[in-house]
Amino acid sequence: MSFAPKDEHEAQVQFALERGIPAISAVMGTERLPFPGIVFDAVHCARCRVPWHIEGGKLLLELNRVLRPGGFFIWSATPVYQKLPEDVEIWNAMSQLIKAMCWELVSISKDTINKVGIAVYRKPTSNECYEKRSQQQPPVCSGSDDPNAAWHVPLQACMHKVPEESLERGSQWPEQWPARLEKTPYWLLSSQVGVYGKSAPEDFTADYEHWKRVVSKSYLNGMGINWSTVRNVMDMRSVYGGFAAAMKDISVWVMNVISIDSPDTLPIIYERGLFGIYHDWCESFSTYPRTYDLLHADHLFSKIKKRCNLVAVVAEVDRILRPEGKLIVRDDVETINELESMVKGMQWEVRMTYSKDKEGLLCVEKSMWRPKELETIKYAIA
């Protein structure tokens, strides 16, 4: 993804999306990134012009928030490998900030051909270094500051403590892939209630089994979708990431979206080795037009229409989806009927519709149709 405020290689995010890799375009500025705390194993920034060291290191401290304990920051920028006065000044400022944050400089290397250098840093796995600092700058965040709060939350120039309790999320490194995909996270306890009402571990397992069954028996074979043409998939209401996990043997990438008014299960999705983001579907999604091959919405639209204009959300779906892309909706029959009427109005093709016990399933394909009538505009200028 690109969070750089200026990108001289225009549309790099578009390139990523065309390669079948979910990506978003946004500016890293005054608010937290739309991800929970301590979920990324590594953050990589190449040809990196982000001014990490300014304003008390706010931007670098935001990376500290999203990195797991023991996670890596891979930084490639001119201050790493050039000796111009400006670069030396930035490198010295970064070195002081990195030391104050207790990050370890793992290595610095330079490519022998193009002379580009890379510095690799590692976040600490305990709070020991924080406590031993002679000056508490940057300061440790207050206990009331939730590191997982990420939707329109202002950046803070502070560090959250590293979780050290054995059953606290982030205290252990995840399993290797693909074992981590199916394993219940160690911090989901039987005493906790899951999204669907069972104990959290049981809920997690039941959700995965449900989506494995749905994907194998319905989506892959029963809808007439040529999956070899599908690369980018978005699960518009992903709970535990079960749908994405069930797709692991197909050559697709899945963007898991957690609605901001839903239980915060995004850390579970990252623990599984999947990718996801927070979003409010009453707003537009940060992507280029026509960038997804397939959108999947499980009981999303019936919830959305209580807060938003459903027509506007369907228009956003139309913007995101490629021509000949598919939309799969599971919802109550009333909502399914509303959606079917809307997509027919947009000249989309209804590929399949099914209902049972007030629950429905709809699969539609976006067409190449565009309006043919031309509107004559009379200008006020003579």
Side-chain angles (χ1 to χ4, degrees):
M1 74 199 66
S2 177
F3 281 104
K6 179 180 180 297
D7 189 351
E8 65 181 20
H9 304 285
E10 293 184 9
Q12 279 193 138
V13 172
Q14 183 75 68
F15 296 157
L17 288 159
E18 287 298 325
R19 299 176 78 175
I21 302 170
I24 61 171
S25 177
V27 172
M28 189 176 182
T30 61
E31 294 184 338
R32 286 180 178 176
L33 305 180
F35 311 112
I38 53 176
V39 290
F40 284 102
D41 304 338
V43 174
H44 173 263
C45 192
R47 302 196 68 171
C48 194
R49 296 184 175 187
V50 179
W52 301 112
H53 59 292
I54 66 171
E55 295 189 42
K58 273 187 179 180
L59 300 181
L60 196 63
L61 288 164
E62 174 61 359
L63 296 193
N64 188 74
R65 182 184 72 85
V66 299
L67 267 180
R68 296 183 186 279
F72 296 92
F73 174 49
I74 302 111
W75 184 42
S76 178
T78 53
V80 176
Y81 56 89
Q82 290 188 2
K83 298 301 180 183
L84 299 174
E86 181 184 6
D87 292 321
V88 171
E89 183 181 345
I90 293 174
W91 173 260
N92 291 336
M94 278 288 285
S95 297
Q96 290 180 10
L97 178 59
I98 292 288
K99 183 178 179 181
M101 290 170 59
C102 295
W103 283 13
E104 172 194 357
L105 176 58
V106 177
S107 66
I108 299 180
S109 58
K110 184 181 287 189
D111 188 283
T112 55
I113 298 174
N114 60 25
K115 308 301 181 183
V116 171
I118 297 174
V120 179
Y121 302 95
R122 187 169 185 255
K123 180 179 174 177
T125 54
S126 74
N127 295 305
E128 184 179 357
C129 175
Y130 299 159
E131 295 162 356
K132 289 183 176 179
R133 292 182 303 166
S134 57
Q135 293 184 332
Q136 293 298 309
Q137 292 294 331
V140 173
C141 299
S142 68
S144 61
D145 188 351
D146 181 5
N148 299 312
W151 190 252
H152 295 318
V153 176
L155 288 178
Q156 301 291 333
C158 64
M159 299 182 298
H160 294 92
K161 284 191 173 183
V162 172
E164 294 182 313
E165 296 292 331
S166 61
L167 293 179
E168 194 175 356
R169 182 174 71 81
S171 61
Q172 301 178 33
W173 196 264
E175 295 279 337
Q176 292 292 320
W177 177 270
R180 67 191 288 185
L181 189 70
E182 301 184 11
K183 185 172 181 179
T184 305
Y186 62 89
W187 37 269
L188 280 187
L189 307 178
S190 298
S191 58
Q192 299 171 323
V193 178
V195 174
Y196 301 114
K198 301 177 183 177
S199 71
E202 191 179 348
D203 230 22
F204 175 90
T205 303
D207 177 78
Y208 186 36
E209 294 300 322
H210 164 73
W211 286 114
K212 281 197 296 185
R213 185 169 60 252
V214 169
V215 168
S216 63
K217 294 187 177 181
S218 177
Y219 292 178
L220 296 186
N221 303 306
M223 291 189 168
I225 296 174
N226 180 4
W227 287 94
S228 66
T229 64
V230 177
R231 300 163 299 166
N232 286 344
V233 176
M234 180 189 291
D235 192 2
M236 297 176 69
R237 182 180 173 263
S238 179
V239 180
Y240 293 113
F243 167 73
M247 305 280 282
K248 72 178 178 66
D249 294 326
I250 309 170
S251 297
V252 300
W253 284 78
V254 180
M255 173 74 80
N256 293 282
V257 181
I258 296 296
S259 298
I260 59 162
D261 60 339
S262 301
D264 184 9
T265 52
L266 194 50
I268 297 171
I269 288 169
Y270 277 98
E271 194 74 13
R272 302 181 81 167
L274 301 170
F275 182 76
I277 193 169
Y278 294 118
H279 185 57
D280 181 356
W281 281 112
C282 295
E283 302 179 16
S284 60
F285 190 84
S286 181
T287 189
Y288 291 91
R290 302 175 296 280
T291 42
Y292 281 85
D293 303 325
L294 186 142
L295 301 184
H296 178 258
D298 177 42
H299 291 83
L300 171 73
F301 292 104
S302 57
K303 297 180 182 297
I304 282 180
K305 66 182 183 180
K306 297 174 184 177
R307 299 192 301 119
C308 318
N309 183 339
L310 192 57
V311 174
V313 181
V314 173
E316 177 67 356
V317 167
D318 176 71
R319 186 185 73 86
I320 294 173
L321 198 61
R322 296 181 188 277
E324 299 185 346
K326 312 296 189 295
L327 169 66
I328 300 174
V329 181
R330 308 174 74 88
D331 222 310
D332 61 58
V333 171
E334 179 186 344
T335 303
I336 291 288
N337 291 337
E338 285 184 64
L339 290 169
E340 186 174 354
S341 175
M342 288 183 200
V343 298
K344 282 181 177 177
M346 297 190 295
Q347 306 296 319
W348 288 18
E349 178 190 348
V350 176
R351 300 289 296 271
M352 191 188 100
T353 181
Y354 173 80
S355 62
K356 181 181 180 182
D357 300 330
K358 297 183 179 181
E359 290 291 308
L361 174 64
L362 177 68
C363 178
V364 295
E365 180 179 303
K366 179 178 176 178
S367 70
M368 302 289 289
W369 177 85
R370 284 294 178 267
K372 294 181 179 178
E373 294 181 7
L374 299 177
E375 181 183 356
T376 303
I377 301 175
K378 294 182 179 179
Y379 290 96
I381 301 173

